[in-house]
């Protein structure tokens, strides 16, 4: 696993937004031609094999597992998993940067195209023979989905590590889907300092943390995720709305929405090159 991967954008809300947009465009549709423009992203199959499996296949389901986009092809054509990682995304409208197109799904009746673009080519496109093989591969590298994990399951997984709570929440093997932005937001809403050892949380704090994960992710999905710079866009090329109303991420020196103390920006152990934002009053260390 590369150093930046555990905190990669897009996170769960952005991938869920992609999946919802893709579902309306791809689910139940027949792929006339699956065009592979960049074989570099492929794992477990060649460009020729993938094109053959895609040609004439019906997309029977579009789902999400953690930060994976999962396309199930009918007639035993297998499972296509796309991991957008840092800079991948889908387009239902003509992509703004056509040189970054890596895959194109050309659909039949009516004709339409869905593009997968990846600016820095850090994403992956994997093929699995069936849903079981895909689920096994996911389980080897991930804990439960952040929207599905139970309170006690979360508590039990955090109790195993004395790392800071923020890097623990971002570890995809602990729970899948949370990265740098939503870890900061969740911890603010749960009123927990980001450097508290994960194993030191009291039962009431674990209650708040579990509730905050569900609430923040659900709110972010409703707002279609977080966009900044030239990064994530929805399938229609629009910016997500979460960072227009969030509590701490990117709000250095701005007043806390609860207590009005300035939000701090800092670096914490275990997170290379990723800033952490928190309120020193609302998220006291003790
Ligand atoms: Zn505060």
């Amino acid at each position: 696993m590369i150093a930046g991967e555990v905190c990669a954008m897009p996170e769960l809300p952005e991938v869920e937004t992609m999946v919802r947009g893709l579902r309306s465009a791809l689910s139940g549709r027949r792929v006339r031609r699956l065009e592979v423009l960049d074989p570099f992203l492929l794992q477990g199959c060649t460009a020729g094999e993938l094109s053959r499996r895609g040609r004439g296949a019906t997309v029977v389901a579009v789902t999400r597992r953690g930060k994976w986009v999962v396309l199930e092809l009918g007639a035993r054509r297998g499972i296509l998993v796309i991991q957008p990682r840092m800079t991948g995304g889908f387009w239902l409208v003509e992509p703004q940067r056509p040189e970054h197109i890596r895959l194109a799904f050309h659909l039949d009746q009516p004709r339409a195209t869905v593009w997968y673009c990846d600016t820095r080519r850090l994403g992956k496109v994997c093929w699995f023979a069936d849903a079981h093989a895909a689920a096994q591969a996911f389980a080897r590298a991930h804990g439960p989905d952040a929207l599905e994990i139970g309170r006690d399951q979360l508590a039990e997984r955090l109790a195993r590590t004395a790392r800071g709570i923020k890097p623990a929440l971002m570890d995809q093997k602990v729970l899948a889907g949370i990265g740098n932005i939503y870890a900061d937001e969740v911890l603010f809403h749960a009123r927990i300092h980001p450097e508290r050892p994960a194993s030191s949380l009291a039962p009431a704090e674990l209650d708040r943390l579990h509730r905050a994960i569900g609430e923040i992710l659900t709110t972010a999905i409703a707002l279609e995720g977080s966009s900044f710079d030239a990064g994530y866009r929805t399938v229609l090329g629009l910016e997500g709305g979460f960072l227009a109303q969030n509590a701490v991420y990117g709000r250095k020196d701005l007043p806390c929405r609860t207590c009005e103390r300035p939000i701090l920006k800092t670096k914490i152990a275990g997170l290379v090159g990723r800033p952490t934002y928190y309120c020193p009053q609302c998220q006291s260390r003790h």
Side-chain angles (χ1 to χ4, degrees):
M1 188 176 276
I2 58 168
E5 185 181 342
V6 289
C7 42
M9 272 285 284
E11 305 180 30
L12 187 153
E14 290 77 37
V15 178
E16 178 66 24
T17 304
M18 283 178 200
V19 161
R20 291 179 181 191
L22 271 183
R23 192 175 287 142
S24 63
L26 272 183
S27 194
R29 298 293 303 274
R30 183 174 169 274
V31 179
R32 178 167 49 86
R33 187 161 65 95
L34 177 51
E35 188 182 2
V36 180
L37 290 97
D38 187 359
F40 176 79
L41 270 54
L42 302 182
Q43 262 190 2
C45 61
T46 66
E49 285 165 352
L50 193 62
S51 293
R52 261 197 311 283
R53 284 165 183 145
R55 190 182 306 133
T58 299
V59 180
V60 296
V62 181
T63 54
R64 180 187 61 75
R65 268 181 194 275
K67 299 191 242 181
W68 288 13
V69 175
V70 182
L71 306 180
E72 185 182 346
L73 306 178
R76 297 171 165 268
R77 297 290 190 92
I79 306 284
L80 192 57
V81 168
I82 298 164
Q83 301 176 44
R85 296 274 179 90
M86 302 286 276
T87 56
F90 292 88
W91 294 78
L92 305 186
V93 293
E94 200 80 31
Q96 282 164 3
R97 302 286 300 272
E99 67 273 28
H100 296 152
I101 299 173
R102 311 297 171 193
L103 276 183
F105 298 83
H106 301 286
L107 307 175
D108 237 356
Q109 294 166 348
R111 290 206 169 189
T113 302
V114 174
W115 293 272
Y116 174 69
C117 296
D118 193 336
T119 312
R120 289 170 58 196
R121 304 166 88 207
L122 298 168
K124 278 186 188 171
V125 176
C126 312
W127 181 84
F128 297 96
D130 54 37
H132 180 69
Q136 277 189 322
F138 185 84
R140 278 196 293 275
H142 299 82
D145 190 273
L147 273 181
E148 290 170 9
I149 193 167
R151 184 267 183 212
D152 292 344
Q153 200 180 12
L154 177 68
E156 183 253 321
R157 297 178 84 85
L158 293 176
R160 294 183 207 156
T161 176
R163 277 181 299 170
I165 182 62
K166 183 178 176 188
L169 284 180
M170 290 168 60
D171 182 344
Q172 302 302 296
K173 288 199 163 191
V174 174
L175 75 169
I178 295 180
N180 202 45
I181 293 176
Y182 298 108
D184 280 356
E185 295 297 318
V186 161
L187 290 170
F188 173 80
H189 282 268
R191 305 196 303 278
I192 296 170
H193 190 283
E195 290 179 294
R196 281 279 304 280
S199 55
S200 76
L201 299 188
E205 291 175 313
L206 289 161
D207 291 343
R208 293 204 302 268
L209 180 63
H210 182 255
R211 208 164 43 236
I213 290 171
E215 286 174 3
I216 292 293
L217 295 179
T218 304
T219 300
I221 291 167
L223 294 168
E224 304 203 303
S226 299
S227 296
F228 57 89
D229 301 335
Y232 159 81
R233 294 290 182 274
T234 72
V235 293
L236 297 177
L238 304 174
E239 296 192 3
F242 184 75
L243 289 185
Q245 59 92 67
N246 70 311
V248 286
Y249 189 86
R251 298 192 69 243
K252 177 177 185 284
D253 295 334
L254 293 173
C256 169
R257 297 195 198 278
T258 303
C259 74
E260 301 193 338
R261 283 270 297 267
I263 298 297
L264 295 184
K265 178 184 180 182
T266 185
K267 286 180 179 156
I268 68 172
L271 296 176
V272 181
R274 294 279 160 165
T276 289
Y277 298 87
Y278 72 103
C279 172
Q281 173 88 15
C282 296
Q283 296 167 267
S284 92
R285 198 180 285 265
H286 302 291

